[in-house]
Amino acid sequence: MELFACRASKGFAEKVIESLNANVRPGEQPVHLGGLEVTQFSDGEFQPLFTESVRGATVYILQATIPPADNLMELLLCIDAAKRASADKVIAVIPYFGWARQDRKDRPRVAIGAKLVANLLTAAGADRVMTCDLHADQIQGFFDIPVDHVYASKVFLPYIKSRGFSDLAIAAPDMGGAKRANAYAKALSEGGECGVIICHKTREKANVVAEIKAIGEVKGKNIIIVDDMIDTAGTLCKAAEVLMSNGALSVRACATHGILSGKAIERLHNSVLSEVYITDTIPHPELEGDPKIRIVSMAPVFASIIDKVYNYEPISPDFIY
């Protein structure tokens, strides 16, 4: 096993290696972060270079494809370099899969970006993809190679259970998140009834919410909004306001990918939300120690999947949704 990290996900990769080495099997050597250098040209072009041999190795390349598009290009170039250096297998580990919101033609004459990215990864030479909380589950079908799709519920559900909330309800910020909210509520109903609330929203345009209506029993509930990402935080903050105005005791949020673009952090700090939990699939070093926005790590989950896939062990026990 050889593990490399592109520039956008080096911190995450180091945490994955730490988790891998904490559970080294008898007779196995500890994993190290492989040497990867990127030569930058004056016009912005760049070229990655593996500084150690990968011949015959199973190569894991970690990179979240967050903006700018250079991060995706860097991952594609690294996959190509590994294949040309005679790696046996190349596995792309993508904590955050960019362009996932473009999973269908929702308007005439638009691209299906998620399918294009899937084609690019396959054309570059990836033999397998590991990713987390895709915006739409059907994106797995865009690939003709195996996809390991892990869920942040693996880390969020134990946190929610540990808090011991009474009168708990799970909310989806929009109709598309109903399946996720129902799955969380089902997992949390073991110790008592956990309701589901759906927030129906209408948009004026992308990233601009016109109106939100809450469907379900809200009054007297401690509500946790679950979602796959927070971008501008407009939907989340408006949904929290609607829930509180309808009689909720408190509103919290758990979202996998903290994109947090524009004034998102400021909006979250000024919102009625008690707490916001995101994962480290997208790096946010500026939020370390933040009193309201807290980060939980997905590195142990990815480390477990990487280890089991490498050793041909079943990974179904690691999937909670």
PDB file of all heavy atoms in Angstrom, residues 183-204:
ATOM      1  N   ALA A 183     -33.616   8.186   7.556  1.00  0.00           N
ATOM      2  CA  ALA A 183     -32.643   7.176   7.982  1.00  0.00           C
ATOM      3  C   ALA A 183     -32.061   7.523   9.355  1.00  0.00           C
ATOM      4  O   ALA A 183     -31.892   6.640  10.210  1.00  0.00           O
ATOM      5  CB  ALA A 183     -31.525   7.070   6.946  1.00  0.00           C
ATOM      6  N   TYR A 184     -31.747   8.798   9.578  1.00  0.00           N
ATOM      7  CA  TYR A 184     -31.241   9.238  10.887  1.00  0.00           C
ATOM      8  C   TYR A 184     -32.294   8.996  11.963  1.00  0.00           C
ATOM      9  O   TYR A 184     -31.998   8.493  13.044  1.00  0.00           O
ATOM     10  CB  TYR A 184     -30.882  10.724  10.849  1.00  0.00           C
ATOM     11  CG  TYR A 184     -29.461  11.033  10.434  1.00  0.00           C
ATOM     12  CD1 TYR A 184     -29.043  10.879   9.116  1.00  0.00           C
ATOM     13  CD2 TYR A 184     -28.533  11.496  11.353  1.00  0.00           C
ATOM     14  CE1 TYR A 184     -27.748  11.184   8.726  1.00  0.00           C
ATOM     15  CE2 TYR A 184     -27.232  11.809  10.989  1.00  0.00           C
ATOM     16  CZ  TYR A 184     -26.847  11.644   9.663  1.00  0.00           C
ATOM     17  OH  TYR A 184     -25.552  11.941   9.289  1.00  0.00           O
ATOM     18  N   ALA A 185     -33.545   9.375  11.671  1.00  0.00           N
ATOM     19  CA  ALA A 185     -34.627   9.221  12.654  1.00  0.00           C
ATOM     20  C   ALA A 185     -34.829   7.750  12.997  1.00  0.00           C
ATOM     21  O   ALA A 185     -35.052   7.400  14.160  1.00  0.00           O
ATOM     22  CB  ALA A 185     -35.910   9.825  12.109  1.00  0.00           C
ATOM     23  N   LYS A 186     -34.752   6.894  12.001  1.00  0.00           N
ATOM     24  CA  LYS A 186     -34.921   5.456  12.228  1.00  0.00           C
ATOM     25  C   LYS A 186     -33.818   4.924  13.138  1.00  0.00           C
ATOM     26  O   LYS A 186     -34.073   4.133  14.051  1.00  0.00           O
ATOM     27  CB  LYS A 186     -34.909   4.723  10.888  1.00  0.00           C
ATOM     28  CG  LYS A 186     -35.239   3.235  10.985  1.00  0.00           C
ATOM     29  CD  LYS A 186     -35.270   2.602   9.602  1.00  0.00           C
ATOM     30  CE  LYS A 186     -35.560   1.100   9.710  1.00  0.00           C
ATOM     31  NZ  LYS A 186     -35.563   0.458   8.370  1.00  0.00           N
ATOM     32  N   ALA A 187     -32.580   5.361  12.907  1.00  0.00           N
ATOM     33  CA  ALA A 187     -31.450   4.915  13.731  1.00  0.00           C
ATOM     34  C   ALA A 187     -31.545   5.439  15.157  1.00  0.00           C
ATOM     35  O   ALA A 187     -31.070   4.796  16.090  1.00  0.00           O
ATOM     36  CB  ALA A 187     -30.133   5.370  13.101  1.00  0.00           C
ATOM     37  N   LEU A 188     -32.172   6.604  15.326  1.00  0.00           N
ATOM     38  CA  LEU A 188     -32.270   7.222  16.647  1.00  0.00           C
ATOM     39  C   LEU A 188     -33.546   6.849  17.391  1.00  0.00           C
ATOM     40  O   LEU A 188     -33.732   7.245  18.536  1.00  0.00           O
ATOM     41  CB  LEU A 188     -32.198   8.747  16.508  1.00  0.00           C
ATOM     42  CG  LEU A 188     -30.852   9.303  16.022  1.00  0.00           C
ATOM     43  CD1 LEU A 188     -30.996  10.747  15.579  1.00  0.00           C
ATOM     44  CD2 LEU A 188     -29.788   9.185  17.105  1.00  0.00           C
ATOM     45  N   SER A 189     -34.425   6.086  16.753  1.00  0.00           N
ATOM     46  CA  SER A 189     -35.691   5.716  17.374  1.00  0.00           C
ATOM     47  C   SER A 189     -35.583   4.502  18.284  1.00  0.00           C
ATOM     48  O   SER A 189     -36.579   4.078  18.864  1.00  0.00           O
ATOM     49  CB  SER A 189     -36.751   5.450  16.291  1.00  0.00           C
ATOM     50  OG  SER A 189     -37.086   6.651  15.636  1.00  0.00           O
ATOM     51  N   GLU A 190     -34.370   3.927  18.412  1.00  0.00           N
ATOM     52  CA  GLU A 190     -34.194   2.736  19.248  1.00  0.00           C
ATOM     53  C   GLU A 190     -34.514   3.047  20.711  1.00  0.00           C
ATOM     54  O   GLU A 190     -35.082   2.230  21.421  1.00  0.00           O
ATOM     55  CB  GLU A 190     -32.762   2.200  19.118  1.00  0.00           C
ATOM     56  CG  GLU A 190     -32.432   1.749  17.705  1.00  0.00           C
ATOM     57  CD  GLU A 190     -30.946   1.507  17.516  1.00  0.00           C
ATOM     58  OE1 GLU A 190     -30.188   1.675  18.493  1.00  0.00           O
ATOM     59  OE2 GLU A 190     -30.542   1.143  16.393  1.00  0.00           O
ATOM     60  N   GLY A 191     -34.128   4.226  21.187  1.00  0.00           N
ATOM     61  CA  GLY A 191     -34.378   4.581  22.584  1.00  0.00           C
ATOM     62  C   GLY A 191     -35.655   5.378  22.793  1.00  0.00           C
ATOM     63  O   GLY A 191     -35.902   5.886  23.868  1.00  0.00           O
ATOM     64  N   GLY A 192     -36.461   5.527  21.774  1.00  0.00           N
ATOM     65  CA  GLY A 192     -37.692   6.308  21.871  1.00  0.00           C
ATOM     66  C   GLY A 192     -38.053   6.862  20.513  1.00  0.00           C
ATOM     67  O   GLY A 192     -37.268   6.799  19.563  1.00  0.00           O
ATOM     68  N   GLU A 193     -39.236   7.412  20.410  1.00  0.00           N
ATOM     69  CA  GLU A 193     -39.712   7.920  19.121  1.00  0.00           C
ATOM     70  C   GLU A 193     -38.936   9.165  18.701  1.00  0.00           C
ATOM     71  O   GLU A 193     -38.687  10.063  19.490  1.00  0.00           O
ATOM     72  CB  GLU A 193     -41.205   8.254  19.221  1.00  0.00           C
ATOM     73  CG  GLU A 193     -41.843   8.594  17.882  1.00  0.00           C
ATOM     74  CD  GLU A 193     -41.795   7.448  16.882  1.00  0.00           C
ATOM     75  OE1 GLU A 193     -41.842   6.273  17.306  1.00  0.00           O
ATOM     76  OE2 GLU A 193     -41.679   7.737  15.681  1.00  0.00           O
ATOM     77  N   CYS A 194     -38.529   9.177  17.433  1.00  0.00           N
ATOM     78  CA  CYS A 194     -37.812  10.334  16.874  1.00  0.00           C
ATOM     79  C   CYS A 194     -38.554  10.773  15.621  1.00  0.00           C
ATOM     80  O   CYS A 194     -38.640  10.016  14.647  1.00  0.00           O
ATOM     81  CB  CYS A 194     -36.357   9.969  16.556  1.00  0.00           C
ATOM     82  SG  CYS A 194     -35.389  11.335  15.885  1.00  0.00           S
ATOM     83  N   GLY A 195     -39.100  11.978  15.650  1.00  0.00           N
ATOM     84  CA  GLY A 195     -39.906  12.455  14.540  1.00  0.00           C
ATOM     85  C   GLY A 195     -39.078  12.935  13.364  1.00  0.00           C
ATOM     86  O   GLY A 195     -37.863  13.142  13.463  1.00  0.00           O
ATOM     87  N   VAL A 196     -39.744  13.111  12.232  1.00  0.00           N
ATOM     88  CA  VAL A 196     -39.116  13.624  11.012  1.00  0.00           C
ATOM     89  C   VAL A 196     -39.865  14.875  10.561  1.00  0.00           C
ATOM     90  O   VAL A 196     -41.093  14.893  10.527  1.00  0.00           O
ATOM     91  CB  VAL A 196     -39.128  12.576   9.879  1.00  0.00           C
ATOM     92  CG1 VAL A 196     -38.518  13.159   8.610  1.00  0.00           C
ATOM     93  CG2 VAL A 196     -38.374  11.323  10.290  1.00  0.00           C
ATOM     94  N   ILE A 197     -39.100  15.906  10.245  1.00  0.00           N
ATOM     95  CA  ILE A 197     -39.667  17.169   9.761  1.00  0.00           C
ATOM     96  C   ILE A 197     -39.044  17.471   8.401  1.00  0.00           C
ATOM     97  O   ILE A 197     -37.823  17.347   8.235  1.00  0.00           O
ATOM     98  CB  ILE A 197     -39.369  18.321  10.743  1.00  0.00           C
ATOM     99  CG1 ILE A 197     -39.992  18.018  12.112  1.00  0.00           C
ATOM    100  CG2 ILE A 197     -39.873  19.647  10.197  1.00  0.00           C
ATOM    101  CD1 ILE A 197     -39.406  18.829  13.239  1.00  0.00           C
ATOM    102  N   ILE A 198     -39.868  17.849   7.461  1.00  0.00           N
ATOM    103  CA  ILE A 198     -39.376  18.203   6.131  1.00  0.00           C
ATOM    104  C   ILE A 198     -39.604  19.700   5.907  1.00  0.00           C
ATOM    105  O   ILE A 198     -40.714  20.204   6.119  1.00  0.00           O
ATOM    106  CB  ILE A 198     -40.105  17.411   5.019  1.00  0.00           C
ATOM    107  CG1 ILE A 198     -40.069  15.900   5.308  1.00  0.00           C
ATOM    108  CG2 ILE A 198     -39.488  17.710   3.659  1.00  0.00           C
ATOM    109  CD1 ILE A 198     -38.707  15.295   5.347  1.00  0.00           C
ATOM    110  N   CYS A 199     -38.549  20.388   5.510  1.00  0.00           N
ATOM    111  CA  CYS A 199     -38.671  21.808   5.175  1.00  0.00           C
ATOM    112  C   CYS A 199     -38.824  21.932   3.658  1.00  0.00           C
ATOM    113  O   CYS A 199     -37.911  21.566   2.910  1.00  0.00           O
ATOM    114  CB  CYS A 199     -37.440  22.582   5.647  1.00  0.00           C
ATOM    115  SG  CYS A 199     -37.237  22.582   7.443  1.00  0.00           S
ATOM    116  N   HIS A 200     -39.976  22.420   3.240  1.00  0.00           N
ATOM    117  CA  HIS A 200     -40.221  22.591   1.806  1.00  0.00           C
ATOM    118  C   HIS A 200     -39.817  24.004   1.411  1.00  0.00           C
ATOM    119  O   HIS A 200     -40.328  24.985   1.950  1.00  0.00           O
ATOM    120  CB  HIS A 200     -41.699  22.359   1.479  1.00  0.00           C
ATOM    121  CG  HIS A 200     -42.011  22.560   0.030  1.00  0.00           C
ATOM    122  ND1 HIS A 200     -42.561  23.729  -0.461  1.00  0.00           N
ATOM    123  CD2 HIS A 200     -41.817  21.755  -1.044  1.00  0.00           C
ATOM    124  CE1 HIS A 200     -42.703  23.629  -1.769  1.00  0.00           C
ATOM    125  NE2 HIS A 200     -42.269  22.448  -2.152  1.00  0.00           N
ATOM    126  N   LYS A 201     -38.896  24.102   0.467  1.00  0.00           N
ATOM    127  CA  LYS A 201     -38.400  25.428   0.081  1.00  0.00           C
ATOM    128  C   LYS A 201     -38.647  25.694  -1.393  1.00  0.00           C
ATOM    129  O   LYS A 201     -38.700  24.776  -2.213  1.00  0.00           O
ATOM    130  CB  LYS A 201     -36.908  25.562   0.390  1.00  0.00           C
ATOM    131  CG  LYS A 201     -35.991  24.744  -0.512  1.00  0.00           C
ATOM    132  CD  LYS A 201     -34.523  24.929  -0.139  1.00  0.00           C
ATOM    133  CE  LYS A 201     -33.637  24.050  -1.012  1.00  0.00           C
ATOM    134  NZ  LYS A 201     -32.228  24.118  -0.639  1.00  0.00           N
ATOM    135  N   THR A 202     -38.799  26.950  -1.700  1.00  0.00           N
ATOM    136  CA  THR A 202     -38.844  27.394  -3.091  1.00  0.00           C
ATOM    137  C   THR A 202     -37.688  28.366  -3.295  1.00  0.00           C
ATOM    138  O   THR A 202     -37.362  29.150  -2.407  1.00  0.00           O
ATOM    139  CB  THR A 202     -40.176  28.104  -3.408  1.00  0.00           C
ATOM    140  OG1 THR A 202     -40.381  29.177  -2.464  1.00  0.00           O
ATOM    141  CG2 THR A 202     -41.337  27.133  -3.320  1.00  0.00           C
ATOM    142  N   ARG A 203     -37.069  28.280  -4.468  1.00  0.00           N
ATOM    143  CA  ARG A 203     -35.902  29.125  -4.762  1.00  0.00           C
ATOM    144  C   ARG A 203     -36.246  30.167  -5.817  1.00  0.00           C
ATOM    145  O   ARG A 203     -36.968  29.881  -6.777  1.00  0.00           O
ATOM    146  CB  ARG A 203     -34.734  28.271  -5.286  1.00  0.00           C
ATOM    147  CG  ARG A 203     -34.001  27.487  -4.222  1.00  0.00           C
ATOM    148  CD  ARG A 203     -32.709  26.919  -4.820  1.00  0.00           C
ATOM    149  NE  ARG A 203     -31.980  26.082  -3.881  1.00  0.00           N
ATOM    150  CZ  ARG A 203     -31.130  26.530  -2.967  1.00  0.00           C
ATOM    151  NH1 ARG A 203     -30.931  27.828  -2.854  1.00  0.00           N
ATOM    152  NH2 ARG A 203     -30.491  25.706  -2.178  1.00  0.00           N
ATOM    153  N   GLU A 204     -35.690  31.367  -5.642  1.00  0.00           N
ATOM    154  CA  GLU A 204     -35.775  32.384  -6.691  1.00  0.00           C
ATOM    155  C   GLU A 204     -34.753  32.070  -7.779  1.00  0.00           C
ATOM    156  O   GLU A 204     -35.017  32.176  -8.961  1.00  0.00           O
ATOM    157  CB  GLU A 204     -35.510  33.777  -6.114  1.00  0.00           C
ATOM    158  CG  GLU A 204     -36.617  34.267  -5.187  1.00  0.00           C
ATOM    159  CD  GLU A 204     -36.324  35.648  -4.633  1.00  0.00           C
ATOM    160  OE1 GLU A 204     -35.207  36.161  -4.899  1.00  0.00           O
ATOM    161  OE2 GLU A 204     -37.188  36.216  -3.956  1.00  0.00           O
TER     162      GLU A 204
END
